[in-house]
Amino acid sequence: MNEVVLPPDDGVEQLCSRLRIDRADRESTLAARPDPGEHPELWRVLERSYQVLLAQLGRRVPGNPAWAPLPAATGAVGRHLFVWVFLAVVPHVRDYHATIGLTDRESWDSLGALGEELELSRRLTGRAGLDATWGLPLVFSGTSFRLGRLAFERQPPGDDNAWNTHVPGDRTPLTSAACDASFARAMELAEQCGGHVDGFVCHSWLMDDQLQRYLPTTSNIIRFQQRFTRFTDRVKADWAPIEHVFHRRFDGDDVPPSLLDELPQRTTLERAVVTHLRYGGHWYNRTGWMRRRRTPVRHAPRLSL
Ligand SMILES: CC(C)(COP(=O)(O)OP(=O)(O)OC[C@H]1O[C@@H](n2cnc3c(N)ncnc32)[C@H](O)[C@@H]1OP(=O)(O)O)[C@@H](O)C(=O)NCCC(=O)NCCS
């Protein structure tokens, strides 16, 4: 069984810049280094979580529940424990990425999800460290990766052979050209490993067709949405644009009017989100499905992708 080896402080500094971890999050992580002698129970959680990721490396298991935050009483070390798990697993997931043919840049870009999530979590909660995380265990077990503008996640065996599509919120425009390149790369990667992708799904507030009432047809969001043809589910999710556009959270099901009053109204999307809610509307997460033509396998050893 692999023992957990945490990187030394100077190694963490280097890793953090590769993983796009902001200075504030870097400092709070270093200040919350877990120690087996001082934090024996947390250390056991760390070892267990590390072993789980190694056991799942490259295997998208069904279910995959979010990793819940540790109890508040575990303090800063508890809020950063999973950050240390992810840092410790980096060499293994990097090796796995190389095996399936991700480029060095794609590999680091994928793992950069840690920096993005730490920053988002700090903005949303006002505290350093991680909250519940669903996406990061997938990234650090090598089953979710970023290919250019978009990120993808493989489905568990037995499901449709459609990859899940994510739109990272780094504010670079979602241009059609960038999306074309990402989808093409995803199919190429699947073929490279002797497999194929039948299609792509996207479960997001970006799939809500009500956005078409507010955004021009030339908008990147509308163009992205229109790539998907079959839509299922429709789950009320006012929280989604509030979190993803404004980086704010609220308690309960409905957005408090006082919060709407505070939100900036600089862009068409910001105005759309707020106006729609003010007039009693709601936003929905929907699942869009896009079929891709199956392309012949050109080469490559069979790897289980
Ligand atoms: C998806 C995303 C990259 C699209 O940005 P984009 O390429 O600029 O999108 P569009 O061309 O459709 O933008 C249309 C309008 O909305 C504005 N807009 C788009 N995204 C915005 C955002 N996150 N915050 C504020 N305004 C935004 C644009 O500035 C533009 O308004 P303007 O013409 O008044 O300037 C961006 O919305 C984003 O980063 N979202 C967060 C990520 C996310 O929600 N992912 C899905 C998670 S489930």
Side-chain angles (χ1 to χ4, degrees), residues 221-238:
I221 291 176
I222 299 306
R223 285 185 167 148
F224 179 74
Q225 189 179 95
Q226 287 173 343
R227 290 170 183 266
F228 295 82
T229 49
R230 186 155 58 79
F231 294 91
T232 52
D233 305 342
R234 190 172 183 262
V235 181
K236 184 180 155 192
D238 292 338

PDB file of all heavy atoms in Angstrom, residues 221-238:
ATOM      1  N   ILE A 221     -22.637  32.139 -25.198  1.00  0.00           N
ATOM      2  CA  ILE A 221     -23.440  31.199 -24.399  1.00  0.00           C
ATOM      3  C   ILE A 221     -24.547  30.601 -25.265  1.00  0.00           C
ATOM      4  O   ILE A 221     -24.773  29.383 -25.256  1.00  0.00           O
ATOM      5  CB  ILE A 221     -24.021  31.900 -23.146  1.00  0.00           C
ATOM      6  CG1 ILE A 221     -22.896  32.249 -22.166  1.00  0.00           C
ATOM      7  CG2 ILE A 221     -25.089  31.035 -22.475  1.00  0.00           C
ATOM      8  CD1 ILE A 221     -23.315  33.035 -20.933  1.00  0.00           C
ATOM      9  N   ILE A 222     -25.235  31.448 -26.033  1.00  0.00           N
ATOM     10  CA  ILE A 222     -26.335  30.934 -26.873  1.00  0.00           C
ATOM     11  C   ILE A 222     -25.786  29.998 -27.952  1.00  0.00           C
ATOM     12  O   ILE A 222     -26.345  28.929 -28.211  1.00  0.00           O
ATOM     13  CB  ILE A 222     -27.131  32.113 -27.509  1.00  0.00           C
ATOM     14  CG1 ILE A 222     -27.740  32.986 -26.402  1.00  0.00           C
ATOM     15  CG2 ILE A 222     -28.201  31.604 -28.479  1.00  0.00           C
ATOM     16  CD1 ILE A 222     -28.602  32.247 -25.390  1.00  0.00           C
ATOM     17  N   ARG A 223     -24.673  30.367 -28.550  1.00  0.00           N
ATOM     18  CA  ARG A 223     -24.086  29.481 -29.574  1.00  0.00           C
ATOM     19  C   ARG A 223     -23.684  28.139 -28.971  1.00  0.00           C
ATOM     20  O   ARG A 223     -23.853  27.093 -29.585  1.00  0.00           O
ATOM     21  CB  ARG A 223     -22.870  30.149 -30.210  1.00  0.00           C
ATOM     22  CG  ARG A 223     -23.278  31.233 -31.165  1.00  0.00           C
ATOM     23  CD  ARG A 223     -22.069  31.789 -31.863  1.00  0.00           C
ATOM     24  NE  ARG A 223     -22.469  32.602 -32.996  1.00  0.00           N
ATOM     25  CZ  ARG A 223     -21.796  33.656 -33.407  1.00  0.00           C
ATOM     26  NH1 ARG A 223     -20.695  34.024 -32.788  1.00  0.00           N
ATOM     27  NH2 ARG A 223     -22.203  34.345 -34.449  1.00  0.00           N
ATOM     28  N   PHE A 224     -23.148  28.197 -27.750  1.00  0.00           N
ATOM     29  CA  PHE A 224     -22.742  26.949 -27.085  1.00  0.00           C
ATOM     30  C   PHE A 224     -23.977  26.093 -26.814  1.00  0.00           C
ATOM     31  O   PHE A 224     -24.012  24.895 -27.098  1.00  0.00           O
ATOM     32  CB  PHE A 224     -22.013  27.290 -25.776  1.00  0.00           C
ATOM     33  CG  PHE A 224     -21.581  26.087 -24.997  1.00  0.00           C
ATOM     34  CD1 PHE A 224     -20.501  25.316 -25.421  1.00  0.00           C
ATOM     35  CD2 PHE A 224     -22.240  25.709 -23.838  1.00  0.00           C
ATOM     36  CE1 PHE A 224     -20.089  24.195 -24.702  1.00  0.00           C
ATOM     37  CE2 PHE A 224     -21.840  24.593 -23.113  1.00  0.00           C
ATOM     38  CZ  PHE A 224     -20.759  23.839 -23.553  1.00  0.00           C
ATOM     39  N   GLN A 225     -25.018  26.744 -26.277  1.00  0.00           N
ATOM     40  CA  GLN A 225     -26.255  26.022 -25.949  1.00  0.00           C
ATOM     41  C   GLN A 225     -26.826  25.339 -27.197  1.00  0.00           C
ATOM     42  O   GLN A 225     -27.328  24.229 -27.149  1.00  0.00           O
ATOM     43  CB  GLN A 225     -27.247  27.049 -25.401  1.00  0.00           C
ATOM     44  CG  GLN A 225     -28.495  26.506 -24.824  1.00  0.00           C
ATOM     45  CD  GLN A 225     -29.370  27.638 -24.299  1.00  0.00           C
ATOM     46  OE1 GLN A 225     -30.248  28.106 -25.016  1.00  0.00           O
ATOM     47  NE2 GLN A 225     -29.141  28.074 -23.071  1.00  0.00           N
ATOM     48  N   GLN A 226     -26.745  26.036 -28.333  1.00  0.00           N
ATOM     49  CA  GLN A 226     -27.371  25.511 -29.545  1.00  0.00           C
ATOM     50  C   GLN A 226     -26.622  24.333 -30.170  1.00  0.00           C
ATOM     51  O   GLN A 226     -27.114  23.703 -31.086  1.00  0.00           O
ATOM     52  CB  GLN A 226     -27.584  26.649 -30.542  1.00  0.00           C
ATOM     53  CG  GLN A 226     -28.731  27.532 -30.042  1.00  0.00           C
ATOM     54  CD  GLN A 226     -28.951  28.790 -30.848  1.00  0.00           C
ATOM     55  OE1 GLN A 226     -28.063  29.201 -31.613  1.00  0.00           O
ATOM     56  NE2 GLN A 226     -30.106  29.413 -30.682  1.00  0.00           N
ATOM     57  N   ARG A 227     -25.452  24.021 -29.665  1.00  0.00           N
ATOM     58  CA  ARG A 227     -24.773  22.794 -30.107  1.00  0.00           C
ATOM     59  C   ARG A 227     -25.516  21.553 -29.605  1.00  0.00           C
ATOM     60  O   ARG A 227     -25.385  20.473 -30.145  1.00  0.00           O
ATOM     61  CB  ARG A 227     -23.367  22.707 -29.507  1.00  0.00           C
ATOM     62  CG  ARG A 227     -22.384  23.684 -30.052  1.00  0.00           C
ATOM     63  CD  ARG A 227     -21.118  23.671 -29.221  1.00  0.00           C
ATOM     64  NE  ARG A 227     -20.199  24.671 -29.710  1.00  0.00           N
ATOM     65  CZ  ARG A 227     -19.226  24.437 -30.595  1.00  0.00           C
ATOM     66  NH1 ARG A 227     -19.018  23.224 -31.043  1.00  0.00           N
ATOM     67  NH2 ARG A 227     -18.452  25.405 -31.019  1.00  0.00           N
ATOM     68  N   PHE A 228     -26.248  21.726 -28.498  1.00  0.00           N
ATOM     69  CA  PHE A 228     -26.913  20.582 -27.861  1.00  0.00           C
ATOM     70  C   PHE A 228     -28.326  20.512 -28.391  1.00  0.00           C
ATOM     71  O   PHE A 228     -28.991  21.529 -28.566  1.00  0.00           O
ATOM     72  CB  PHE A 228     -26.882  20.743 -26.343  1.00  0.00           C
ATOM     73  CG  PHE A 228     -25.481  20.691 -25.781  1.00  0.00           C
ATOM     74  CD1 PHE A 228     -24.664  21.817 -25.802  1.00  0.00           C
ATOM     75  CD2 PHE A 228     -24.964  19.504 -25.291  1.00  0.00           C
ATOM     76  CE1 PHE A 228     -23.357  21.767 -25.321  1.00  0.00           C
ATOM     77  CE2 PHE A 228     -23.655  19.444 -24.812  1.00  0.00           C
ATOM     78  CZ  PHE A 228     -22.859  20.581 -24.827  1.00  0.00           C
ATOM     79  N   THR A 229     -28.804  19.284 -28.653  1.00  0.00           N
ATOM     80  CA  THR A 229     -30.077  19.179 -29.356  1.00  0.00           C
ATOM     81  C   THR A 229     -31.167  18.557 -28.505  1.00  0.00           C
ATOM     82  O   THR A 229     -32.332  18.848 -28.694  1.00  0.00           O
ATOM     83  CB  THR A 229     -29.913  18.334 -30.624  1.00  0.00           C
ATOM     84  OG1 THR A 229     -29.233  17.142 -30.271  1.00  0.00           O
ATOM     85  CG2 THR A 229     -29.138  19.082 -31.679  1.00  0.00           C
ATOM     86  N   ARG A 230     -30.824  17.677 -27.631  1.00  0.00           N
ATOM     87  CA  ARG A 230     -31.870  17.005 -26.864  1.00  0.00           C
ATOM     88  C   ARG A 230     -31.701  17.428 -25.414  1.00  0.00           C
ATOM     89  O   ARG A 230     -30.596  17.378 -24.878  1.00  0.00           O
ATOM     90  CB  ARG A 230     -31.707  15.488 -27.007  1.00  0.00           C
ATOM     91  CG  ARG A 230     -32.803  14.694 -26.376  1.00  0.00           C
ATOM     92  CD  ARG A 230     -32.937  13.332 -27.042  1.00  0.00           C
ATOM     93  NE  ARG A 230     -31.733  12.513 -27.002  1.00  0.00           N
ATOM     94  CZ  ARG A 230     -31.335  11.813 -25.947  1.00  0.00           C
ATOM     95  NH1 ARG A 230     -32.023  11.853 -24.825  1.00  0.00           N
ATOM     96  NH2 ARG A 230     -30.243  11.067 -26.000  1.00  0.00           N
ATOM     97  N   PHE A 231     -32.772  17.881 -24.816  1.00  0.00           N
ATOM     98  CA  PHE A 231     -32.662  18.364 -23.441  1.00  0.00           C
ATOM     99  C   PHE A 231     -33.544  17.536 -22.514  1.00  0.00           C
ATOM    100  O   PHE A 231     -34.692  17.244 -22.836  1.00  0.00           O
ATOM    101  CB  PHE A 231     -33.063  19.842 -23.361  1.00  0.00           C
ATOM    102  CG  PHE A 231     -32.097  20.727 -24.095  1.00  0.00           C
ATOM    103  CD1 PHE A 231     -32.296  21.043 -25.429  1.00  0.00           C
ATOM    104  CD2 PHE A 231     -30.968  21.226 -23.465  1.00  0.00           C
ATOM    105  CE1 PHE A 231     -31.397  21.842 -26.120  1.00  0.00           C
ATOM    106  CE2 PHE A 231     -30.055  22.022 -24.143  1.00  0.00           C
ATOM    107  CZ  PHE A 231     -30.274  22.326 -25.471  1.00  0.00           C
ATOM    108  N   THR A 232     -32.989  17.159 -21.399  1.00  0.00           N
ATOM    109  CA  THR A 232     -33.777  16.424 -20.411  1.00  0.00           C
ATOM    110  C   THR A 232     -33.614  17.145 -19.080  1.00  0.00           C
ATOM    111  O   THR A 232     -32.798  18.057 -18.969  1.00  0.00           O
ATOM    112  CB  THR A 232     -33.253  14.984 -20.260  1.00  0.00           C
ATOM    113  OG1 THR A 232     -31.848  15.068 -20.022  1.00  0.00           O
ATOM    114  CG2 THR A 232     -33.500  14.168 -21.501  1.00  0.00           C
ATOM    115  N   ASP A 233     -34.381  16.739 -18.101  1.00  0.00           N
ATOM    116  CA  ASP A 233     -34.315  17.345 -16.747  1.00  0.00           C
ATOM    117  C   ASP A 233     -34.681  18.837 -16.824  1.00  0.00           C
ATOM    118  O   ASP A 233     -34.572  19.465 -17.834  1.00  0.00           O
ATOM    119  CB  ASP A 233     -32.911  17.289 -16.115  1.00  0.00           C
ATOM    120  CG  ASP A 233     -32.336  15.900 -16.055  1.00  0.00           C
ATOM    121  OD1 ASP A 233     -33.132  14.970 -16.174  1.00  0.00           O
ATOM    122  OD2 ASP A 233     -31.112  15.776 -15.897  1.00  0.00           O
ATOM    123  N   ARG A 234     -35.042  19.372 -15.755  1.00  0.00           N
ATOM    124  CA  ARG A 234     -35.225  20.829 -15.625  1.00  0.00           C
ATOM    125  C   ARG A 234     -35.356  21.042 -14.136  1.00  0.00           C
ATOM    126  O   ARG A 234     -36.406  20.802 -13.564  1.00  0.00           O
ATOM    127  CB  ARG A 234     -36.488  21.269 -16.358  1.00  0.00           C
ATOM    128  CG  ARG A 234     -36.635  22.791 -16.478  1.00  0.00           C
ATOM    129  CD  ARG A 234     -37.813  23.105 -17.383  1.00  0.00           C
ATOM    130  NE  ARG A 234     -37.990  24.525 -17.604  1.00  0.00           N
ATOM    131  CZ  ARG A 234     -38.853  25.291 -16.947  1.00  0.00           C
ATOM    132  NH1 ARG A 234     -39.607  24.766 -15.984  1.00  0.00           N
ATOM    133  NH2 ARG A 234     -38.962  26.573 -17.234  1.00  0.00           N
ATOM    134  N   VAL A 235     -34.251  21.410 -13.532  1.00  0.00           N
ATOM    135  CA  VAL A 235     -34.228  21.495 -12.076  1.00  0.00           C
ATOM    136  C   VAL A 235     -34.013  22.942 -11.679  1.00  0.00           C
ATOM    137  O   VAL A 235     -33.044  23.579 -12.127  1.00  0.00           O
ATOM    138  CB  VAL A 235     -33.066  20.632 -11.512  1.00  0.00           C
ATOM    139  CG1 VAL A 235     -33.046  20.679  -9.993  1.00  0.00           C
ATOM    140  CG2 VAL A 235     -33.172  19.202 -12.008  1.00  0.00           C
ATOM    141  N   LYS A 236     -34.940  23.446 -10.872  1.00  0.00           N
ATOM    142  CA  LYS A 236     -34.828  24.855 -10.455  1.00  0.00           C
ATOM    143  C   LYS A 236     -33.457  25.077  -9.805  1.00  0.00           C
ATOM    144  O   LYS A 236     -33.055  24.327  -8.913  1.00  0.00           O
ATOM    145  CB  LYS A 236     -35.940  25.179  -9.468  1.00  0.00           C
ATOM    146  CG  LYS A 236     -35.954  26.636  -9.050  1.00  0.00           C
ATOM    147  CD  LYS A 236     -37.071  26.910  -8.058  1.00  0.00           C
ATOM    148  CE  LYS A 236     -36.730  28.108  -7.215  1.00  0.00           C
ATOM    149  NZ  LYS A 236     -37.609  28.260  -6.062  1.00  0.00           N
ATOM    150  N   ALA A 237     -32.764  26.116 -10.262  1.00  0.00           N
ATOM    151  CA  ALA A 237     -31.394  26.322  -9.758  1.00  0.00           C
ATOM    152  C   ALA A 237     -31.050  27.807  -9.809  1.00  0.00           C
ATOM    153  O   ALA A 237     -30.085  28.211 -10.461  1.00  0.00           O
ATOM    154  CB  ALA A 237     -30.413  25.499 -10.591  1.00  0.00           C
ATOM    155  N   ASP A 238     -31.846  28.624  -9.097  1.00  0.00           N
ATOM    156  CA  ASP A 238     -31.528  30.057  -9.065  1.00  0.00           C
ATOM    157  C   ASP A 238     -30.127  30.290  -8.509  1.00  0.00           C
ATOM    158  O   ASP A 238     -29.455  31.260  -8.840  1.00  0.00           O
ATOM    159  CB  ASP A 238     -32.548  30.811  -8.190  1.00  0.00           C
ATOM    160  CG  ASP A 238     -33.924  30.832  -8.825  1.00  0.00           C
ATOM    161  OD1 ASP A 238     -34.015  30.664 -10.063  1.00  0.00           O
ATOM    162  OD2 ASP A 238     -34.923  30.987  -8.086  1.00  0.00           O
TER     163      ASP A 238
END
